[in-house]
Amino acid sequence: MMAIAFPIFLLIILVLSEMLILSRTGKEKVDWHDVVFNLNSGHLMLWLFRGLELACYGFIVANFSLNIVSDWPPVWLWLFAILMWDFCFYWLHRLHHKFALLWAVHVVHHQGEHFNLSLAVRNSWYSSLASIPFFIPMALLGVPLPVFITVSVLHYSIQLMNHSALTPRLGFLEYILVTPAHHRIHHVNDRAYSDSNYAGSFAFFDRLFGTYRPDLPETDFAYGVKGAKSSQNPFVASNEPFRKYLQARREKKQHKKPDFISSGFVVLSGAVILFALVTGYIWLYGYQISQTLSEQVLLFVLLAAGSVALGGISEGRQWAVISWFVNTWLMLLSFAAYFQWHHPFWMIGMGLLALHSTAVMLGWGRRAITHDDTVRD
């Protein structure tokens, strides 16, 4: 699984490197809680549903393909797949802004208030599920699954770099490719700007369909979406938009004050270790969603629960501290004692998480809410 895991390692290095550069140069104040949420928002659940997306694509190719392009010469097949993928993504993206149910999925990405590489990773748990219908035309036309996967990785890599806070304008390339200069306009918290520049890689689709906008607002502006800030708990953040969409009513609706304030370093260090173990999970199991072993199911559940607990710590919730402690020690004891996983990678990673959670339980990186904090709120 090296081909899958290595890009994830590279992604983390790129994201953290950019954050450190922004912090050291003073170009932008880095909100580490926001960065951790972006990395933590959907990685494991998104990976599960990405596997389902590919399984659906492979099923359609195998059983319903018209095989129109499958026998084309490789050069033409790949060129078609590259252009067709971005065409499908353009309409996926545009319709996610148009229809409320799809916006409930996509809004998680737009709720990020800082434009940097970590924002590219911020997604709803359900992003891959919502993508399935839009790429079916490629399967029906006969684009093979390996080609689809490779082209997807290429485009997602371009989209990652389109969230860079450090990339300058790129001159004539901006007539062909989507760049950070284009895409930051799409993240302005004014729908007059965010409902534009939908393309993922090729800028000419927006010009072709009349959705291109060239410039940022001339007045002061902010990124994100207007209204209340989203939760830093990935479970809540991914599901809360659906509650709003269905207009569910609660008898009591008020904002709960945090139990404590957590430091950025505490949540960042926990997230880095957790993400390393997620990468290990991907290395072991890849896109496999059938014939699962009991240890795979348990590891998946514990890693997913860990991301929720870490989000709760970011929000200052006492239940999350307890959950983080129980979850990490259960992981260590289950896999070290019961499943006999004694490989250094797993023992070190799980051991560090257990030590981290113990330190947090004892008060490390947490401070009580003061009167000044209440006044600032």
Side-chain angles (χ1 to χ4, degrees):
M1 298 299 174
M2 181 64 179
I4 299 175
F6 177 75
I8 298 175
F9 280 118
L10 182 61
L11 180 150
I12 296 299
I13 292 171
L14 289 173
V15 167
L16 295 181
S17 296
E18 183 186 58
M19 294 301 100
L20 290 174
I21 292 172
L22 290 173
S23 179
R24 293 291 177 86
T25 59
K27 289 185 176 181
E28 180 179 318
K29 183 179 179 181
V30 175
D31 183 342
W32 287 108
H33 290 83
D34 186 67
V35 172
V36 167
F37 175 82
N38 291 346
L39 294 174
N40 196 34
S41 59
H43 51 67
L44 202 58
M45 297 300 293
L46 194 62
W47 190 266
L48 174 68
F49 291 133
R50 171 66 169 164
L52 181 60
E53 176 190 354
L54 296 179
C56 291
Y57 187 97
F59 178 79
I60 293 172
V61 166
N63 295 279
F64 300 103
S65 173
L66 302 175
N67 293 317
I68 294 174
V69 303
S70 55
D71 295 327
W72 283 10
V75 172
W76 292 110
L77 172 62
W78 281 93
L79 180 60
F80 172 81
I82 289 171
L83 291 173
M84 185 65 180
W85 193 99
D86 206 44
F87 174 80
C88 292
F89 178 84
Y90 171 88
W91 286 106
L92 175 161
H93 197 179
R94 184 169 178 175
L95 294 179
H96 272 61
H97 278 248
K98 182 175 178 61
F99 294 104
L101 183 59
L102 293 176
W103 177 247
V105 176
H106 187 56
V107 68
V108 177
H109 178 64
H110 274 268
Q111 285 170 335
E113 297 180 345
H114 303 276
F115 190 86
N116 52 55
L117 287 178
S118 74
L119 179 60
V121 191
R122 182 188 184 112
N123 277 295
S124 165
W125 283 1
Y126 312 111
S127 295
S128 286
L129 281 181
S131 299
I132 291 174
F134 294 93
F135 293 109
I136 286 177
M138 295 182 68
L140 293 175
L141 290 171
V143 176
L145 178 60
V147 175
F148 175 76
I149 293 175
T150 304
V151 167
S152 299
V153 171
L154 170 65
H155 281 289
Y156 286 135
S157 299
I158 293 173
Q159 290 179 28
L160 167 69
M161 300 313 299
N162 284 343
H163 292 81
S164 169
L166 298 174
T167 303
R169 296 195 73 97
L170 299 177
F172 77 94
L173 286 177
E174 296 186 359
Y175 290 97
I176 304 170
L177 298 175
V178 176
T179 69
H182 295 137
H183 198 62
R184 65 176 63 248
I185 297 168
H186 181 73
H187 277 274
V188 172
N189 70 350
D190 182 338
R191 292 298 289 262
Y193 290 85
S194 63
D195 289 346
S196 65
N197 296 5
Y198 296 114
S201 299
F202 296 113
F204 48 73
F205 283 122
D206 281 298
R207 289 186 170 90
L208 179 63
F209 296 113
T211 53
Y212 176 68
R213 181 180 278 272
D215 298 310
L216 288 165
E218 295 182 359
T219 56
D220 290 341
F221 65 90
Y223 296 113
V225 294
K226 294 179 179 178
K229 287 188 176 182
S230 68
S231 171
Q232 290 181 307
N233 183 318
F235 173 82
V236 176
S238 289
N239 290 285
E240 177 68 5
F242 293 100
R243 186 197 67 79
K244 293 179 179 179
Y245 170 73
L246 296 171
Q247 297 182 338
R249 301 299 183 207
R250 291 179 178 174
E251 294 181 2
K252 186 177 181 181
K253 190 175 181 182
Q254 66 181 54
H255 176 68
K256 182 182 178 183
K257 296 294 183 181
D259 302 312
F260 58 86
I261 292 178
S262 60
S263 77
F265 179 76
V266 163
V267 292
L268 175 64
S269 56
V272 169
I273 303 169
L274 183 67
F275 210 99
L277 294 182
V278 168
T279 305
Y281 172 93
I282 294 168
W283 182 293
L284 284 178
Y285 300 113
Y287 290 122
Q288 179 181 334
I289 58 173
S290 61
Q291 298 179 339
T292 53
L293 302 174
S294 56
E295 55 261 43
Q296 179 186 359
V297 174
L298 179 60
L299 182 59
F300 180 92
V301 170
L302 290 175
L303 289 173
S307 70
V308 173
L310 199 59
I313 292 173
S314 285
E315 291 191 326
R317 306 303 180 192
Q318 188 62 43
W319 65 261
V321 175
I322 299 171
S323 175
W324 182 239
F325 178 81
V326 172
N327 191 78
T328 56
W329 277 99
L330 179 60
M331 185 186 302
L332 177 62
L333 295 175
S334 297
F335 286 89
Y338 184 76
F339 292 117
Q340 299 292 307
W341 282 26
H342 293 158
H343 189 282
F345 171 80
W346 294 104
M347 290 300 93
I348 293 172
M350 293 178 182
L352 287 174
L353 275 190
L355 290 174
H356 183 281
S357 69
T358 301
V360 173
M361 175 69 82
L362 295 174
W364 176 56
R366 295 190 287 137
R367 66 175 177 84
I369 304 296
T370 65
H371 174 71
D372 289 341
D373 296 318
T374 305
V375 171
R376 282 195 292 269
D377 288 341

